[in-house]
């Protein structure tokens, strides 16, 4: 027991090492590979298993895994990528999938296209993780794990309304939600500024939030016919509940709204179900999950895919060691372990079976196959900092002309992407 506690103590520390596991006399000297992973991305137990197994099969390498906080990580990573002192920095870094663009733009990442094509099966990666890490035909970000929104619903309220199975198309979703919506029950709680959910509807219609012109300039595209069709569907769905038109899903937290109910559905990551049942234990066993429906029953709707990629700084002193760590973390064995441990979506569509027995994760994996990320503009963070998409959504839901409001928001997006 004492040895177990000591091992866990090593894993939980911000500086995670092999806890002194070094080869005996006569063995090869180990090179240290420094890995930055984000807080709560993987459990201490997972990191302990991975570290021991990796060092057992790579007797020339020693892992130094350092846990990082999300707050302020962008500046810290940029500083690490700019190091020129020849050592001391990370060799592998976990970054948010939508953050890769800004690091590529600074020229600080290693091109991993060869390994991706030859060894890592890039043709099977989830698009929402792979595409944000790819620029100019070169792969810099290697998909690690994904999470995305699904529909969390009340099975008892669906049954009471005579709905025997979750909808497979957007039109059926509207019809079922209208059937659920009444004086006593919200058919769906959908706040007016849930722009991640709106993004999926826009992508389903063939539109986007912003696009890069042939001249290389990024421009907002909310005013396009496809994007306007996505907003029109959002407006129809949002009207089948009492979600505030001038707030997002965190104000108030929608887990609390759902728990207090009665609410038939919300759009959220499956993990929110735990917070719901903690607030209202009577809902235990009554919650179900299904992928956001698509335009046809042939495939689920597009969804925003959040998650992380692994990158290797160009200034690493040990490319072979760094790529060995990436290969292991992104490979089948540890992807399966991570998905089951953390209820994530694995990085490949072919690994979805790893979470098939978990209803929420399985619904998430089905949607992730059509996942997308925000535009790969290096300055996209500037758009989110003062998000004009939220303002646009509220204006439309309050009765403004959609085309006029969309054009205004697109101009704001264009300015942010130019100034960022």
């Amino acid at each position: 027991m004492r040895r177990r506690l000591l091992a866990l103590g090593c894993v939980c520390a911000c500086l995670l090492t092999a806890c002194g596991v070094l080869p005996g006399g006569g063995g090869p000297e180990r090179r240290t590979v420094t890995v930055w992973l984000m807080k709560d991305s993987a459990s201490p137990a997972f990191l302990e298993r991975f570290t021991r197994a990796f060092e057992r099969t790579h007797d020339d390498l020693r892992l130094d895994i350092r846990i990082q906080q999300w707050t302020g990580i962008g500046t810290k990573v940029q500083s690490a990528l700019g190091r020129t002192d020849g050592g001391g920095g990370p060799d592998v870094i976990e970054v948010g999938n939508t953050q890769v663009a800004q690091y590529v733009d600074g020229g600080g990442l290693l091109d991993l296209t060869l390994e991706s094509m030859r060894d890592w099966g890039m043709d099977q990666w989830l698009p929402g993780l792979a595409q944000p890490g790819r620029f100019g035909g070169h792969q810099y970000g290697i998909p690690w794990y994904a999470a995305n929104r699904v529909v969390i619903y009340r099975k008892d309220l669906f049954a009471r309304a005579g709905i025997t199975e979750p909808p497979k198309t957007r039109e059926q979703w509207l019809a079922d939600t209208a059937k659920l919506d009444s004086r006593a029950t919200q058919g769906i709680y959908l706040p007016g500024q849930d722009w991640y959910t709106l993004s999926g509807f826009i992508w389903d219609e063939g539109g986007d939030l912003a696009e890069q012109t042939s001249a290389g300039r990024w421009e907002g595209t909310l005013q396009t016919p496809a994007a306007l069709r996505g907003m029109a569907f959002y407006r129809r769905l949002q009207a089948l509940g009492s979600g505030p038109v001038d707030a997002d899903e965190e104000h108030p937290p929608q887990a609390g709204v759902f728990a207090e109910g009665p609410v038939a559905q919300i759009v959220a990551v499956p993990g929110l179900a735990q917070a719901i049942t903690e607030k209202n234990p009577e809902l235990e066993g009554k919650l179900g999950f299904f992928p956001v429906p698509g335009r046809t029953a042939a495939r689920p709707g597009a969804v925003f895919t959040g998650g992380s990629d692994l990158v290797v700084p160009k200034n690493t002193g040990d490319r072979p060691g760094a790529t060995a760590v990436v290969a292991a973390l992104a490979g089948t064995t540890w992807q399966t372990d991570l998905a089951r441990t953390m209820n994530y979506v694995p990085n490949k569509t072919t690994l979805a079976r790893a979470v098939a027995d978990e209803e929420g994760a399985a619904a998430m994996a089905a949607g992730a196959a059509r996942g997308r990320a925000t535009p790969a503009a290096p300055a996209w963070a500037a758009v989110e900092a003062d998000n004009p998409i939220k303002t646009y959504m509220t204006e439309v839901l309050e009765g403004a002309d959609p085309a006029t409001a969309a054009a205004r928001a697109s101009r704001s997006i264009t300015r942010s992407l130019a100034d960022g």
Side-chain angles (χ1 to χ4, degrees):
M1 174 63 74
R2 177 174 174 79
R3 296 173 86 186
R4 171 76 171 167
L5 290 174
L6 285 172
L8 284 173
C10 289
V11 173
C12 293
C14 285
L15 177 61
L16 187 150
T17 71
C19 300
V21 181
L22 293 173
E29 182 178 350
R30 290 184 183 263
R31 310 188 314 274
T32 297
V33 180
T34 301
V35 183
W36 285 7
L37 298 180
M38 301 308 299
K39 184 178 185 297
D40 297 329
S41 285
S43 69
F46 172 88
L47 294 177
E48 179 190 8
R49 289 194 299 273
F50 176 76
T51 298
R52 290 186 177 278
F54 183 87
E55 292 185 341
R56 189 167 56 246
T57 55
H58 298 79
D59 60 7
D60 58 335
L61 299 176
R62 175 176 177 271
L63 290 185
D64 177 7
I65 301 180
R66 304 185 182 191
I67 305 303
Q68 308 296 313
Q69 302 293 325
W70 282 107
T71 301
I73 190 60
T75 301
K76 190 170 184 179
V77 170
Q78 293 285 22
S79 177
L81 297 180
R83 292 177 67 108
T84 58
D85 53 12
D91 299 292
V92 177
I93 308 175
E94 173 196 350
V95 300
N97 61 323
T98 62
Q99 297 175 336
V100 180
Q102 60 183 296
Y103 304 134
V104 173
D105 191 56
L109 299 184
L110 203 61
D111 183 349
L112 299 172
T113 307
L114 175 62
E115 292 88 347
S116 299
M117 295 178 64
R118 184 188 62 198
D119 306 322
W120 298 342
M122 66 184 298
D123 57 323
Q124 298 170 346
W125 285 339
L126 294 177
L129 295 181
Q131 290 171 359
R134 187 178 304 135
F135 297 88
H138 299 272
Q139 194 73 40
Y140 298 90
I142 307 306
W144 190 29
Y145 68 83
N148 51 266
R149 288 160 176 76
V150 301
V151 182
I152 303 177
Y153 74 102
R154 288 269 302 266
K155 294 180 178 180
D156 57 329
L157 296 181
F158 269 55
R160 192 180 305 165
I163 303 170
T164 58
E165 62 179 11
K168 296 289 197 305
T169 68
R170 290 197 333 199
E171 287 303 317
Q172 187 60 52
W173 191 19
L174 284 174
D176 288 348
T177 304
K179 201 181 290 187
L180 291 158
D181 196 40
S182 67
R183 288 185 178 181
T185 302
Q186 291 190 61
I188 188 169
Y189 178 78
L190 184 60
Q193 296 184 348
D194 185 354
W195 70 279
Y196 286 121
T197 296
L198 169 65
S199 298
F201 300 155
I202 290 175
W203 293 328
D204 254 356
E205 294 290 346
D208 209 336
L209 308 177
E211 294 179 350
Q212 193 172 25
T213 68
S214 58
R217 182 171 180 257
W218 283 93
E219 295 181 346
T221 53
L222 294 175
Q223 79 288 357
T224 62
L228 289 172
R229 289 195 300 270
M231 184 65 221
F233 179 80
Y234 189 98
R235 181 167 55 177
R236 293 172 67 193
L237 185 64
Q238 198 273 340
L240 298 173
S242 302
V245 300
D246 59 349
D248 62 23
E249 63 274 22
E250 295 299 326
H251 302 90
Q254 60 181 346
V257 176
F258 192 94
E260 294 166 7
V263 175
Q265 309 168 83
I266 56 173
V267 181
V269 293
L272 204 65
Q274 181 176 350
I276 292 168
T277 54
E278 286 176 355
K279 292 178 179 294
N280 185 354
E282 292 183 6
L283 294 180
E284 190 74 47
K286 296 180 179 179
L287 302 183
F289 311 85
F290 60 87
V292 173
R295 296 179 65 190
T296 70
R299 56 186 187 178
V303 289
F304 170 77
T305 299
S308 288
D309 281 11
L310 300 170
V311 299
V312 176
K314 188 178 289 186
N315 59 13
T316 177
D318 191 349
R319 175 171 180 152
T323 55
V325 172
V326 173
L329 285 172
T332 299
T333 297
W334 294 104
Q335 278 293 298
T336 301
D337 191 319
L338 184 67
R340 290 174 176 166
T341 299
M342 305 298 294
N343 279 336
Y344 290 148
V345 179
N347 64 0
K348 291 182 178 179
T349 55
T350 52
L351 296 178
R353 63 185 180 277
V355 293
D357 294 336
E358 172 59 46
E359 184 183 0
M364 192 163 57
R370 295 203 63 232
R372 295 274 297 271
T374 50
W380 182 258
V383 175
E384 295 191 28
D386 186 22
N387 200 326
I389 305 172
K390 290 185 173 184
T391 304
Y392 156 62
M393 296 173 72
T394 296
E395 290 175 348
V396 172
L397 295 175
E398 288 180 340
D401 175 63
T404 302
R408 182 164 51 245
S410 288
R411 288 193 295 271
S412 180
I413 291 173
T414 300
R415 285 194 299 272
S416 293
L417 295 180
D419 296 340

